[in-house]
Amino acid sequence: MSSQHIQLISDQAALEALISEASQAPALALDIETINWWDRENERIALVQLAFRDDERPDAEPRVAVIDALAGVDLEPLRAPLELSARPKAIHNASYDAVRLSRHLRIRTSPIHDTMLAARRSGERKCSLQAQVEAHLGLRLDKTSQRSDWSRRPLDAEQLQYAALDASCTLRLYERQIARGLRGDYELREPPTSKQESLPLMASIRLPLHETGAAATPEAAHTEAELSGLPLALLGIVAELNGRYSPEHLAVSVGSERVGLVGWIIDRMIGTEADVDEGSARLEIAALCERGLLRLSLTRRLEATPAGSSLWQRHKA
């Protein structure tokens, strides 16, 4: 995708003009970039990317706007196209992007076509954005910039290109899926009434407060967690390779670098044919941190807490 189709939005007038144009598009593709996503209290949306086609020129290249959410721009105008418009919004893994838009901006995006969900419903086994783009668009996504610092300003050309390409590819996937008759309907759940309800909890192993190192809350004191599949694999990787991965590096690596000990753990926990979407990995890493099983070191690397190491060792035994 040529850089001439990317527009960086960092002031109110440009955002208002964008909303006016995007509101006329037959469909929107949406993507976001976040910072501190592993820490619920400090997580922030850094960028909001919108891709759409000009309604009067449907065969033209998609337009992509990269909105700088850290530039002090009032993002309330996004409510009109994302929440109030009946035009479909395409998102790959809406459980990540749409939930964070709701949490941080109070914008409940609707209606949503989740391109990952549509791929799964069609019976495909590799449903990450990277895998879907390669299979259906014939492109290989370079995920190097995913590990970059999205709070840094100014953004460099590689960051802008990466952010814009994800949104553009999501729009193209949506168009292909609609042409194939695939359904990706996704509805946001109502916000949880308490912090505990927001955690993916399953009963089995009780984690006492003094083991987890979590905040002294009733919810944390009674958190019970049994891990399997991807969460257990992520915990195992960090426990075996303490201090090697930053949260971003780990989220990207488990989806593409299935080699060595990391590959062995991932293959054993979720299977050799399964692939991991970055958004799904982020959700699980954040949940492990919130449960007190992982923590961030002073050098911003993931470490297993005593409770996390103990749980992994019990599994290995």
Side-chain angles (χ1 to χ4, degrees):
M1 183 177 63
S2 171
S3 60
Q4 66 180 337
H5 298 291
I6 305 173
Q7 180 184 10
L8 177 62
I9 304 292
S10 58
D11 65 80
Q12 204 65 40
L15 178 61
E16 297 285 354
L18 168 70
I19 297 304
S20 177
E21 296 171 358
S23 295
Q24 306 304 313
L28 295 175
L30 170 68
D31 188 37
I32 66 172
E33 302 301 335
T34 52
I35 57 175
N36 301 325
W37 49 261
W38 52 88
D39 183 346
R40 187 181 180 91
E41 300 301 321
N42 294 308
E43 180 185 57
R44 297 290 183 273
I45 294 176
L47 299 176
V48 178
Q49 302 98 272
L50 296 179
F52 58 95
R53 293 189 188 275
D54 190 324
D55 198 21
E56 296 181 357
R57 301 176 58 205
D59 296 329
E61 285 289 311
R63 292 184 51 189
V64 185
V66 178
I67 303 167
D68 187 351
L70 301 180
V73 178
D74 179 8
L75 300 179
E76 176 61 23
L78 286 172
R79 188 176 306 279
L82 297 185
E83 182 176 298
L84 305 180
S85 170
R87 291 179 172 85
K89 270 67 73 172
I91 306 176
H92 196 85
N93 196 355
S95 64
Y96 185 85
D97 299 69
V99 168
R100 275 145 184 78
L101 283 171
S102 176
R103 177 186 300 170
H104 296 294
L105 303 183
R106 301 295 187 267
I107 294 176
R108 296 185 59 78
T109 308
S110 178
I112 294 173
H113 176 102
D114 188 333
T115 48
M116 186 170 76
L117 187 58
R120 284 179 176 165
R121 287 174 176 169
S122 72
E124 294 192 55
R125 301 186 65 178
K126 295 186 178 294
C127 300
S128 65
L129 183 61
Q130 192 170 16
Q132 285 289 297
V133 166
E134 185 171 352
H136 298 286
L137 303 181
L139 300 174
R140 291 187 63 86
L141 293 179
D142 182 358
K143 290 297 181 181
T144 304
S145 292
Q146 179 58 49
R147 307 174 189 177
S148 63
D149 182 2
W150 293 106
S151 67
R152 186 186 66 199
R153 295 296 182 272
L155 298 165
D156 60 38
E158 289 75 17
Q159 287 178 303
L160 285 174
Q161 186 74 9
Y162 168 87
L165 189 58
D166 271 11
S168 177
C169 285
T170 299
L171 179 63
R172 294 172 186 268
L173 278 177
Y174 162 77
E175 293 168 343
R176 295 285 183 92
Q177 289 180 347
I178 291 300
R180 294 162 58 199
L182 303 186
R183 294 180 61 248
D185 311 65
Y186 175 92
E187 290 189 17
L188 278 167
R189 294 185 297 176
E190 289 301 314
T193 56
S194 71
K195 183 177 180 180
Q196 186 173 12
E197 290 180 18
S198 70
L199 301 177
L201 304 181
M202 294 171 286
S204 178
I205 302 173
R206 183 176 296 276
L207 300 176
L209 181 60
H210 72 274
E211 281 194 60
T212 65
T217 65
E219 292 87 353
H222 295 92
T223 293
E224 297 176 349
E226 179 181 290
L227 301 184
S228 62
L230 179 58
L232 183 59
L234 292 165
L235 176 63
I237 291 168
V238 176
E240 297 290 341
L241 302 168
N242 249 355
R244 174 173 295 189
Y245 289 102
S246 69
E248 290 286 7
H249 190 184
L250 181 58
V252 175
S253 294
V254 296
S256 57
E257 298 174 10
R258 305 278 278 272
V259 296
L261 181 59
V262 172
W264 183 85
I265 293 175
I266 289 288
D267 290 346
R268 182 179 178 186
M269 295 296 105
I270 66 175
T272 58
E273 297 301 317
D275 74 327
V276 181
D277 178 75
E278 289 169 34
S280 301
R282 289 182 182 186
L283 289 172
E284 299 298 353
I285 293 168
L288 289 169
C289 290
E290 192 166 3
R291 296 185 203 183
L293 299 174
L294 297 182
R295 64 190 173 200
L296 210 61
S297 71
L298 294 177
T299 57
R300 297 177 67 84
R301 293 293 186 269
L302 287 168
E303 298 176 339
T305 64
S309 294
S310 177
L311 195 157
W312 174 246
Q313 292 302 321
R314 289 199 295 273
H315 172 79
K316 286 176 62 176

